[in-house]
């Protein structure tokens, strides 16, 4: 079987490490060979962050390079554009429409590009955009953006809904399980 | 049990099962989690030491006393621990001693990308290098026996992509050997010239024995495939090679980069048509191959800079790369920055405002260097701010002393800032040192240190009194300021720069990311009062941006530090409820 390549991209502090932890745990439980690669340290301070998740029968490289990603799950709109070159020809970008201005935009040295998603769509890129922040707030916390987006990804993966809920129970702290399951359900049905 | 683990967790599990009794480390990305995971076990001693040299010497002491010990550090930490390392090679060990060192190719979170394998060669100690989590576990577990069998410390080399990648590990049970008795043996452990001269030949003989062991050890393996191309590789590069070539080429995977197996390599080379060496960073294996008469393709095709990937290898061999779609609009860079409410920001604003030359150091506060604050002039290594300012002021003269400061974090000051401060007092420059005391080791993810009052387990511990310490060193002028109070910071900075003697300013406020720090209600901007002067923007706070010509504050990011409020000349910024 072909290895599936997923990238989770976003801004340091948005919770991508928890998302990859959930995904890694679930895929391992499903019996796949799994590799997940994260970056810690400096880039977590509000910088652009990327996590790679690869699964299949046998996975070697822990990272995904240009033209290889079957899915890019972008926690922020601009980051989708930054990493678009990693998308495989028939890949799909799942993107949270939230905008977080990077420092060069804040200081006025650069502008936040408009119409990024339309531009990519015009180039034939499959884009699934959603307002994950609103859904997360609806579930009870803006921090649940990561789970909402994992739910959207779940729609494209061949893993039963219940297994995701079970994996959430094993990944997040007990007091947040209910909130995250609610966020997952909202994201899945959105 | 099968579990998905990052390489660092796998190392800790391997050391645990291998019978570790003590770990002493200093945090450093990408090595930190090795020690953090070990600290979750209660049947061994774990600790954060003030620096890597102390950590390795602690581990030496434990080994001498007969208990298996380890330490963890990043690549540059091994520079600090190099002094004990080189002579530990002479003394050897009693119980097993493993030094885990994590390189950072591509410098995700480091100031250089030095290659730790040179240390193994120079210190003449064996080094193991895993390429995924399963090997990290297995190599770490085997390292203690290797250490004891050959009477040597063992280096375990990690790199970012192994340390911070998760893959599946099948774990086992812990097996603790009985402590070895300590027997006084001056000829082995007292390294004065007469004894050391007798130990050096022991080291050379050990290296030969290890080289023999390397020929058929479990760490190196040959995977014969197609004979047209033979690739010698190690660490994470092995994974990229397999990703691109699968079984279509032959591979000699090196898991023990020092000493290298001469005969194994020669035999492998003989069986393949064209020989390649694919290794990140320096040409260590390649140089060895050349020294034994081979002529592999290596750094002529692969850069000594940065990380590799499957893409690097495809490109080097001229293989077709996948089709790529690119966005036309250039995505503005998103560099890391100080968090909203970071206590360092107020002090950096004050330094930038006063146009002070700032010798910086290693930590989150290195981010004071990025625009718009751009407040830092140099960052070299742990402690170099405090030592460096003394030399800078001596060379640049009296006028420089009035406009130059060193800034260093609390943990970095404990690590290697104290000695520089002793030098300032002893050799007398009117240097001004600012300790940015955020009560935690921030950048590496909140590790306790001797100034926080807690140990690695979170239990109360002795707390260094920074003011008393500075006084004891011979600094009479020690001031404490709250970096959220800009007027106070400005006043004290001016006074200390003007003082005719050395001084220390402790800028004290805990990191906002600490759970013990409760965020205050977010501030808001009264758009009526905002005159669009952008003064608040000069702080470089991620929570503030201009929208439709007016400053706005993102309520999800703002923690109510009120620093921007102090800057606003028009009273436009305040707590939501206070506005008209």
């Amino acid at each position: 079987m072909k290895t599936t390549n997923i990238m989770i991209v976003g801004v340091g502090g948005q919770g991508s490490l928890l998302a990859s932890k959930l995904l890694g745990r679930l895929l391992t439980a499903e019996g796949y060979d799994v590799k997940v690669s994260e970056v810690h340290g400096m880039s977590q301070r509000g910088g652009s962050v990327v996590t790679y998740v690869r699964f299949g029968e046998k996975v070697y490289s822990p990272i995904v390079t240009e033209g290889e990603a079957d899915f890019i799950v972008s926690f922020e709109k601009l980051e989708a554009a930054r990493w678009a070159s990693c998308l495989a020809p028939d890949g799909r970008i799942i993107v949270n429409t939230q905008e977080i201005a990077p420092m060069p935009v804040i200081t006025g040295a650069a502008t936040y590009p408009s119409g990024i998603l339309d531009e990519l769509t015009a180039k034939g890129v499959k884009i699934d955009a959603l307002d994950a922040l609103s859904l997360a707030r609806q579930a009870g916390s803006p921090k649940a953006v990561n789970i909402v987006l994992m739910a959207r990804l779940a729609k494209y993966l061949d893993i039963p809904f219940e297994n995701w809920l079970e994996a959430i129970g094993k990944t997040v702290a007990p007091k947040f399980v209910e909130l995250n399951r609610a966020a997952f359900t909202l994201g899945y049905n959105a | 049990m099968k579990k998905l683990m990052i390489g660092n967790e796998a190392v800790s599990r391997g050391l645990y099962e291998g019978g570790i009794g003590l770990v002493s480390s200093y945090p450093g990305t990408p090595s930190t989690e090795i020690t953090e995971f070990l600290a979750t076990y209660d049947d061994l001693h774990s600790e954060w030491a003030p620096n890597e040299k102390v950590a390795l010497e602690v581990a030496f002491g434990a080994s001498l006393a007969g208990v298996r010990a380890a330490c963890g550090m990043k690549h540059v930490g091994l520079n600090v621990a190099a002094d004990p390392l080189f002579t530990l090679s002479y003394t050897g060990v009693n119980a097993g001693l493993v030094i885990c060192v994590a390189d950072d190719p591509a410098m995700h979170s480091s100031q250089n990308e030095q290659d730790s394998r040179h240390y193994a060669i120079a210190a003449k100690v064996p080094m193991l290098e895993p390429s995924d989590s399963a090997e990290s576990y297995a190599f770490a577990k085997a390292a203690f026996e290797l250490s004891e069998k050959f009477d040597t410390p063992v280096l375990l080399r990690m790199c970012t992509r192994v340390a911070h990648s998760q893959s599946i590990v099948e774990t086992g049970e812990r097996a603790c050997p009985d402590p070895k008795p300590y027997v006084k043996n001056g000829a082995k452990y007292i390294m004065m010239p007469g004894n050391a001269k007798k130990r050096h030949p022991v080291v050379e003989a050990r290296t030969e024995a290890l080289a023999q062991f390397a020929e058929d050890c479990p760490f190196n393996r040959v995977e014969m495939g197609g004979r047209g191309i033979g690739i010698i590789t190690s660490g994470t590069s092995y994974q990229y090679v397999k990703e691109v070539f699968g079984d279509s080429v032959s591979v000699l995977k090196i898991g023990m980069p020092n000493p290298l197996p001469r005969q194994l390599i020669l035999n492998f080379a003989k069986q393949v048509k064209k020989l390649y060496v694919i290794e990140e960073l320096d040409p260590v294996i390649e140089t060895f191959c050349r020294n034994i008469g081979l002529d592999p393709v290596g750094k002529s095709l692969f850069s000594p800079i940065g990380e590799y990937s499957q893409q690097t290898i495809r490109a080097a061999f001229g293989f077709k790369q996948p089709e790529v779609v690119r966005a036309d609009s250039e995505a503005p860079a998103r560099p890391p920055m100080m968090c909203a409410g970071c206590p360092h920001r107020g002090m950096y604003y004050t330094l930038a405002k006063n146009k002070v030359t700032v010798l910086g150091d290693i930590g989150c506060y290195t981010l004071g260097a990025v625009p718009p604050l751009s407040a830092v002039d140099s960052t070299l290594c742990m402690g170099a701010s405090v030592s460096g300012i003394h030399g800078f002021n001596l060379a640049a003269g009296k006028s420089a002393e009035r406009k130059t400061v060193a800034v260093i974090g609390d943990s970095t000051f404990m690590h290697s800032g104290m000695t520089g401060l002793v030098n300032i007092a002893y050799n007398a420059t009117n240097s001004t040192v600012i300790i940015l005391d955020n009560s935690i080791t921030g950048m590496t993810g909140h590790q306790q240190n001797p100034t926080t009052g807690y140990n690695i387990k979170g239990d109360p511990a002795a707390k260094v009194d920074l003011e008393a310490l500075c006084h004891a060193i011979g600094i009479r002028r020690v001031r404490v300021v709250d970096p959220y109070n800009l007027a106070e910071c400005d006043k004290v900075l001016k006074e200390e720069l003007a003082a005719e003697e050395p001084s220390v300013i402790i800028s004290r406020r805990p990191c906002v990311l600490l759970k013990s720090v409760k965020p205050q209600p977010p501030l808001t901007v009264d758009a009526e009062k905002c005159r669009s002067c952008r003064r608040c923007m000069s702080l470089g706070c991620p929570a503030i941006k201009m929208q439709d010509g007016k400053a706005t504050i993102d309520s999800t990011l703002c923690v109510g530090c009120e620093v921007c409020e102090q800057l606003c000349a028009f009273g436009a910024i305040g707590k939501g409820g206070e506005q008209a």
Side-chain angles (χ1 to χ4, degrees):
Chain A
M1 90 180 255
K2 183 189 164 298
T3 297
T4 302
N5 300 323
I6 300 168
M7 287 172 71
I8 300 170
V9 303
V11 178
Q14 278 193 300
S16 61
L17 285 186
L18 181 82
S20 65
K21 199 172 159 191
L22 168 69
L23 198 49
R25 184 187 295 265
L26 175 70
L27 293 165
T28 307
E30 296 290 315
Y32 294 108
D33 188 25
V34 182
K35 281 197 176 163
V36 179
S37 192
E38 334 165 326
V39 169
H40 303 209
M42 186 66 103
S43 52
Q44 283 181 290
R45 298 286 174 268
S48 171
V49 291
V50 55
T51 303
Y52 307 106
V53 179
R54 309 189 69 217
F55 68 97
E57 204 171 300
K58 173 72 190 165
V59 180
Y60 287 108
S61 171
I63 62 178
V64 177
T65 58
E66 285 195 336
E68 293 182 337
D70 299 293
F71 299 96
I72 294 177
V73 183
S74 186
F75 285 29
E76 198 273 349
K77 204 161 70 179
L78 175 59
E79 296 309 305
R82 188 187 312 286
W83 297 98
S85 65
C86 288
L87 199 67
D90 55 347
R92 185 182 296 273
I93 297 179
I94 295 166
V95 55
N96 177 16
T97 51
Q98 186 183 357
E99 291 185 5
I100 301 175
M103 193 46 73
V105 171
I106 289 176
T107 62
T111 49
Y112 195 104
S114 57
I116 311 169
L117 299 184
D118 293 340
E119 190 191 295
L120 289 171
T121 306
K123 285 173 185 277
V125 175
K126 282 183 270 185
I127 292 189
D128 182 358
L130 72 160
D131 180 358
L133 186 60
S134 296
L135 291 168
R137 284 201 171 112
Q138 209 179 315
S141 165
K143 291 202 164 123
V145 158
N146 51 4
I147 300 296
V148 170
L149 288 163
M150 283 301 101
R152 194 60 158 231
L153 173 69
K155 295 180 81 157
Y156 299 101
L157 299 180
D158 193 20
I159 298 169
F161 180 79
E162 300 72 36
N163 299 13
W164 284 89
L165 293 190
E166 198 187 321
I168 288 170
K170 286 178 181 164
T171 307
V172 308
K175 60 177 175 175
F176 296 121
V177 170
E178 205 177 320
L179 167 85
N180 282 296
R181 282 184 175 156
F184 188 86
T185 309
L186 271 175
Y188 196 85
N189 295 324
Chain B
M1 192 187 73
K2 262 191 176 180
K3 198 186 162 197
L4 196 62
M5 290 182 181
I6 58 168
N8 283 346
E9 181 180 3
V11 167
S12 78
R13 184 67 205 182
L15 294 172
Y16 179 72
E17 290 181 19
I20 189 174
L22 176 146
V23 61
S24 182
S25 304
Y26 185 80
T29 310
S31 72
T32 311
E33 301 82 3
I34 295 172
T35 308
E36 288 184 319
F37 278 108
L38 281 169
T40 64
Y41 298 110
D42 286 326
D43 48 350
L44 61 102
H45 172 84
S46 54
E47 63 176 35
W48 290 126
N51 67 37
E52 296 85 354
K53 173 171 147 63
V54 172
L56 181 50
E57 291 158 355
V58 169
F60 154 71
S63 161
L64 184 66
V67 168
R68 289 182 171 181
C71 41
M73 58 193 69
K74 66 186 293 169
H75 58 337
V76 287
L78 192 53
N79 300 335
V80 180
D83 196 2
L85 171 69
F86 278 72
T87 307
L88 263 168
S89 173
Y90 279 37
T91 63
V93 302
N94 183 20
L97 175 54
V98 179
I99 303 153
C100 308
V101 56
D103 287 8
D104 190 16
M107 294 177 273
H108 294 282
S109 205
S110 300
Q111 64 269 41
N112 76 28
E113 52 183 349
Q114 66 187 53
D115 187 328
S116 293
R117 293 177 297 173
H118 296 297
Y119 271 109
I121 297 167
K124 307 184 183 211
V125 298
M127 175 179 259
L128 303 178
E129 183 180 23
S131 67
D132 62 13
S133 297
E135 282 187 354
S136 298
Y137 161 77
F139 288 14
K141 192 170 177 176
F144 283 125
E145 272 182 37
L146 185 69
S147 170
E148 287 171 11
K149 184 177 173 192
F150 289 94
D151 191 5
T152 176
V154 171
L155 284 162
L156 179 72
R157 183 196 189 213
M158 303 293 283
C159 70
T160 302
R161 286 300 171 197
V162 176
H164 287 165
S165 289
Q166 303 175 42
S167 54
I168 294 167
V169 178
E170 180 115 38
T171 60
E173 296 299 318
R174 175 164 161 93
C176 263
D178 290 334
K180 298 199 164 198
Y182 167 65
V183 181
K184 184 166 176 158
N185 183 353
K188 186 168 187 288
Y189 294 114
I190 306 172
M191 282 304 96
M192 51 191 189
N195 292 339
K197 281 177 189 168
K198 292 183 189 119
R199 288 300 295 179
H200 190 183
V202 174
V203 172
E204 297 301 328
R206 180 182 72 206
T207 298
E208 270 186 42
L210 277 160
Q212 207 52 51
F213 168 78
E215 296 290 354
D216 60 354
C217 73
F219 308 109
N220 301 323
R221 70 168 183 267
V222 174
E223 298 172 4
M224 289 313 287
R227 307 279 171 121
I229 290 176
I231 299 173
I232 307 176
T233 184
S234 68
T236 187
S237 300
Y238 165 80
Q239 306 294 350
Y240 307 138
V241 166
K242 293 297 280 188
E243 182 76 31
V244 172
F245 289 104
D247 299 330
S248 68
V249 299
S250 294
V251 172
L252 169 53
K253 184 190 176 296
I254 298 291
M256 184 163 158
N258 192 60
L260 284 164
R262 179 193 160 93
Q263 204 52 51
L264 188 66
I265 290 174
L266 287 173
N267 290 348
F268 178 76
K270 242 184 264 170
Q271 294 176 70
V272 297
K273 208 161 154 193
K274 187 152 187 194
L275 187 66
Y276 291 83
V277 176
I278 304 182
E279 55 187 326
E280 281 180 341
L281 301 179
D282 295 338
V284 171
I285 300 173
E286 182 184 348
T287 303
F288 180 85
C289 288
R290 296 199 185 287
N291 288 345
I292 59 172
L294 298 171
D295 185 24
V297 178
K299 293 297 166 188
S300 59
L301 201 55
F302 292 93
S303 172
I305 300 164
E307 285 184 311
Y308 295 170
S309 66
Q310 54 268 36
Q311 190 175 16
T312 315
I313 293 175
R314 283 196 299 259
F317 282 88
F319 296 163
K320 188 170 170 284
Q321 299 279 10
E323 274 175 58
V324 167
V325 176
R326 278 177 217 283
D328 295 328
S329 350
E330 177 92 11
R334 192 186 294 279
M337 55 196 166
M338 287 188 281
C339 307
C342 175
H344 301 324
R345 182 172 284 107
M347 182 50 79
Y348 273 123
Y349 173 79
T350 307
L351 294 171
K353 183 184 152 211
N354 285 281
K355 300 192 166 49
V356 174
T357 299
V358 178
L359 280 83
D361 225 293
I362 306 286
C364 282
Y365 49 92
T366 308
L367 295 172
V370 301
L373 288 166
S374 306
V376 177
D377 290 74
S378 73
T379 299
L380 181 66
C381 66
M382 298 285 281
S385 60
V386 186
S387 322
I389 191 177
H390 178 72
F392 188 89
N393 284 345
L394 281 171
K398 280 278 161 204
S399 60
E401 288 181 349
R402 297 216 161 80
K403 54 179 188 184
T404 307
V405 301
V407 296
I408 185 165
D410 47 309
S411 184
T412 311
F413 184 70
M414 283 293 106
H415 179 285
S416 45
M418 286 187 286
T419 40
L421 192 63
V422 169
N423 192 46
I424 286 173
Y426 176 54
N427 286 312
T429 47
N430 295 339
S431 297
T432 304
V433 173
I434 301 174
I435 301 176
L436 299 169
D437 179 7
N438 65 348
S439 314
I440 203 73
T441 313
M443 179 56 83
T444 45
H446 287 177
Q447 290 73 33
Q448 303 295 343
N449 71 56
T451 70
T452 67
Y454 297 93
N455 65 19
I456 195 169
K457 298 262 194 191
D459 297 327
K463 181 177 160 80
V464 170
D465 181 335
L466 282 174
E467 293 92 313
L469 175 66
C470 295
H471 284 308
I473 280 172
I475 308 292
R476 291 188 300 180
R477 299 182 69 98
V478 180
R479 311 281 298 270
V480 178
V481 298
D482 177 359
Y484 278 2
N485 185 334
L486 292 181
E488 185 190 17
C489 286
D490 193 64
K491 177 172 174 288
V492 170
L493 175 69
K494 287 190 164 89
E495 285 170 6
E496 295 315 313
L497 284 170
E500 288 293 331
E501 60 179 299
S503 52
V504 168
I505 301 170
I506 301 172
S507 174
R508 180 172 286 152
R509 187 170 265 279
C511 172
V512 283
L513 298 182
L514 283 170
K515 288 207 175 86
S516 55
V517 176
K518 295 284 167 249
Q520 299 302 304
L523 303 187
T524 54
V525 180
D526 183 341
E528 297 281 307
K529 291 185 186 169
C530 175
R531 308 279 179 88
S532 311
C533 72
R534 299 181 65 95
R535 200 167 164 200
C536 54
M537 300 295 294
S538 64
L539 285 169
C541 175
I544 312 175
K545 64 177 172 183
M546 298 299 286
Q547 203 167 358
D548 306 324
K550 303 281 184 180
T552 58
I553 294 175
D554 183 335
S555 63
T556 63
L557 292 174
C558 178
V559 295
C561 75
E562 300 180 356
V563 169
C564 58
E565 185 179 347
Q566 296 165 49
L567 274 187
C568 184
F570 308 104
I573 302 176
K575 293 236 175 354
E578 290 169 7
Q579 286 177 42

